[in-house]
Amino acid sequence: MSAPGHRVGYVLKVYPRFSETFVVSEILAREAQGEQLEIFSLRHSTDPRFHPEPARVQAPVTHVGRPERAAEGWAVLARAAEVVPGFAGRLAALLPELARTEASEVHQGVALATAVVEHGITHLHAHFASLAARVAEIASRLTGVPFTVTTHAKDIFHESVDPDRLRRTLARARTVVAISEHNRRHLAGRFPEHAATLRLVRNGLELERFPYRDPRPPGERLHVAAVGRLVPKKGFDRLLHAAARLRAEGRSLRLSIAGGGELAGPLGALAARLGLEDAVELLGPRTQAEVAALLRTADVFAAPCVVGPDGNADGLPTVLLEAMAMGVPVVATDVTGIPEAVREGPPRTGLLVPADDVAALARALARAADPGFDRVGTARAARALVEREHDGARQAAALRALLPPAPPARPTDPAPAAPAPEGALR
């Protein structure tokens, strides 16, 4: 059922983004429930590949440009003055804080405010409490249209996070979504004055795309799969060391790592130093369909996440949920929200080990392949948890419930699907 009268504008730093499948899944789930959405992207994507799912998204996509010359910036302000009711007064009230804001953010906030009015947007929803939320906040202050934000990990854990700026976003957002109870407690602990605005809404999956089947007994050569960007917080270097331990113990093993990133070269070099050239394959970026095919061949899925040297950490890897949904036994570390999905039980949904503990990681991988380990019972419990707590349809309903009452339609409102301005992606 749709939210009557609402037209929600999604504000995203980059759209589409290969690594942010959770955003596309969320949009598809909300559209499936009849919500009218538009997408506003603040940067063009530079990803070399895309999943097929964005082609199913019905929401029009508008790229919010950044003026390169002063004259273009004035044109943005002039257009807002014509379109946004009360623009001059609201801009004047905001000037003291805007003077301390990156100029491009201000211009994009003003341009977004103009689009909000022209497109009949009644609510803004940003992903990540960083650039996207800051731009949505400016547009909200200039138009009076409320905004919400879903927080994740880098936007709240990274060393670059400005606590005063984040506090202001939390103060002005109608609701701040945390994707795990760990994240909600973290924000409530740091900003107790805004704890009442925090809501837990877990990321969801399109479950029908990840059909379950009971896991098979592992073959003689254990196949371990891992998926994610090749960056420090994923902990793939620890996984290579764990694989080397298992090899040293005489276990035959194959490790497939899918994903691209800055550590592709160093991880390949590490695998060579550890003598794993014949056991490790770095597959590069893979679509969700290709990842699903990889998971169907895997005996174990590993998520060896760590807290990076810059404080960055994974919130809860989407692909970990996908593996659990499909019936692949998982081994994961106790970082941020992961223990909320991978539980030692009862019932057990996976094997959880301390982050940075290579020996424990190796033991858990071996245990997952042990004939005495209840692979089927663990996999069934994991699927049940995903259905209960990470169903995309339930996530969409929870997000819709956060919307305020829709404003009354204006008699002169144009048709909802206003023509896309110059610069629209499609």
Side-chain angles (χ1 to χ4, degrees), residues 62-222:
T62 297
H63 177 256
V64 182
R66 289 185 291 172
E68 295 182 356
R69 297 189 298 272
E72 295 173 347
W74 280 115
V76 171
L77 292 170
R79 180 60 180 161
E82 293 176 1
V83 172
V84 180
F87 175 76
R90 288 175 168 172
L91 181 66
L94 274 180
L95 271 180
E97 63 184 63
L98 292 183
R100 302 189 297 273
T101 304
E102 176 71 30
S104 64
E105 288 184 22
V106 175
H107 280 110
Q108 288 194 297
V110 172
L112 179 60
T114 301
V116 163
V117 175
E118 290 182 324
H119 297 205
I121 300 297
T122 60
H123 190 88
L124 291 167
H125 183 70
H127 268 275
F128 293 93
S130 44
L131 175 67
R134 295 195 298 268
V135 171
E137 180 186 323
I138 293 171
S140 174
R141 301 284 287 180
L142 292 174
T143 61
V145 169
F147 78 102
T148 49
V149 55
T150 294
T151 57
H152 292 273
K154 187 176 183 180
D155 52 337
I156 58 177
F157 297 128
H158 194 272
E159 62 183 4
S160 65
V161 173
D162 179 346
D164 291 333
R165 186 63 188 86
L166 180 56
R167 179 180 289 107
R168 195 168 83 195
T169 296
L170 266 59
R172 291 178 173 172
R174 175 180 172 82
T175 305
V176 176
V177 172
I179 62 168
S180 69
E181 178 60 18
H182 175 93
N183 286 12
R184 192 199 66 77
R185 289 179 179 171
H186 170 81
L187 290 170
R190 291 194 69 187
F191 308 101
E193 68 274 29
H194 302 303
T197 67
L198 299 171
R199 295 290 184 276
L200 170 62
V201 181
R202 301 185 190 277
N203 284 346
L205 300 181
E206 284 187 295
L207 292 173
E208 60 274 18
R209 287 201 289 123
F210 305 98
Y212 174 86
R213 75 177 183 193
D214 282 344
R216 296 164 300 195
E220 289 190 7
R221 192 183 194 198
L222 180 66

Side-chain angles (χ1 to χ4, degrees), residues 273-331:
R273 286 201 304 275
L274 294 172
L276 296 172
E277 298 99 321
D278 61 336
V280 174
E281 51 186 354
L282 299 177
L283 301 172
R286 290 290 184 267
T287 66
Q288 278 189 303
E290 291 167 337
V291 167
L294 171 65
L295 293 176
R296 280 193 286 272
T297 68
D299 299 313
V300 185
F301 177 82
C305 304
V306 297
V307 177
D310 55 4
N312 199 10
D314 254 324
L316 178 57
T318 301
V319 68
L320 175 63
L321 300 175
E322 294 170 357
M324 294 171 66
M326 294 178 63
V328 183
V330 301
V331 172

